[in-house]
Amino acid sequence: MLTDADIQSLSQTFRYRKYRKNQYLLQQGDMARYETYVLKGMLRTYLVDRKGLEHVMKFSPEDWWAGDLYSLHMEKPTSYNIDCLEDTEVLQITRDDLEMLKKDIPGLNDYYQILYRNSVIAYNKRVASWLCNSATERYVEFIERYPDIDRRVSNHQIASYLGIAPASLSRIRGQYFKSKT
């Protein structure tokens, strides 16, 4: 449970920012400076391969975190791009401020441990799904993980997240919705 003093410390330490649709929070080769919590809007984290193809790693809608922990904590350039798919409002915190708050607010360290654990679990599940599941199974998992997100992002971006061609996504969607009726 957070005390009033804890909440005051949090509100003074996080930085509120607004970003426009298509604006970048982080670009490949830059250093990550913040952990970002989405208040409103939608972020996309993606890689661009040597051929110039985009590979969506994750979407971050409201109440999700975004950032590159490796770049932030190891002070190395990021491999990712994070951009806004909608006008977006966020709270951002630097690594040093986060570490200070975790020492000052005991419950925050526990929260961050749970957040990190859940992130690792989600990543491991995604890798296992890529290795073992069909495109249709990955689509069903996507719908379960991101309910209603298909109304907010393009089919091309969903196909990129699933690792399939947009035409394959259309076919899979048609079969999926036909099976639901």
Side-chain angles (χ1 to χ4, degrees):
M1 181 86 169
L2 296 177
T3 67
D4 289 341
D6 294 341
I7 293 169
Q8 182 70 18
S9 292
L10 286 169
S11 66
Q12 290 176 350
T13 308
F14 277 85
R15 187 172 111 176
Y16 173 82
R17 298 251 345 243
K18 284 185 176 184
Y19 290 93
R20 295 179 314 280
K21 182 178 180 177
N22 299 322
Q23 191 172 356
Y24 283 91
L25 275 74
L26 186 63
Q27 287 186 279
Q28 196 168 353
D30 290 347
M31 300 287 283
R33 301 285 180 218
Y34 303 100
E35 275 292 312
T36 300
Y37 181 79
V38 181
L39 295 169
K40 181 181 177 187
M42 175 80 64
L43 301 177
R44 169 182 64 143
T45 302
Y46 66 98
L47 298 165
V48 177
D49 68 19
R50 290 183 183 105
K51 296 177 185 176
L53 298 173
E54 292 181 2
H55 302 278
V56 176
M57 301 301 292
K58 79 174 196 174
F59 298 101
S60 300
E62 292 85 1
D63 297 324
W64 282 53
W65 289 87
D68 180 354
L69 289 175
Y70 174 76
S71 177
L72 183 69
H73 291 281
M74 303 305 291
E75 298 181 336
K76 302 284 185 189
T78 186
S79 299
Y80 302 108
N81 295 289
I82 301 176
D83 66 356
C84 299
L85 299 178
E86 302 171 349
D87 289 344
T88 301
E89 297 175 25
V90 300
L91 294 174
Q92 293 180 314
I93 189 166
T94 65
R95 181 193 67 192
D96 292 341
D97 284 344
L98 180 59
E99 293 304 318
M100 177 198 65
L101 284 176
K102 286 180 356 186
K103 288 177 186 168
D104 292 346
I105 303 173
L108 188 63
N109 193 46
D110 294 340
Y111 168 77
Y112 198 79
Q113 293 282 343
I114 292 167
L115 187 68
Y116 181 74
R117 180 194 67 210
N118 291 346
S119 175
V120 170
I121 290 168
Y123 175 78
N124 288 340
K125 285 178 72 173
R126 175 125 191 257
V127 170
S129 179
W130 262 71
L131 294 172
C132 300
N133 292 346
S134 69
T136 300
E137 291 167 326
R138 292 194 309 268
Y139 176 71
V140 171
E141 289 172 353
F142 172 82
I143 294 299
E144 290 170 356
R145 179 175 177 118
Y146 297 108
D148 301 321
I149 205 170
D150 58 335
R151 295 183 189 106
R152 298 174 69 185
V153 302
S154 73
N155 288 343
H156 175 76
Q157 292 165 346
I158 294 171
S160 173
Y161 177 87
L162 296 172
I164 60 176
S168 296
L169 174 62
S170 294
R171 179 184 47 78
I172 290 167
R173 268 189 165 155
Q175 292 170 347
Y176 175 78
F177 289 115
K178 188 182 270 186
S179 73
K180 290 290 186 187
T181 57

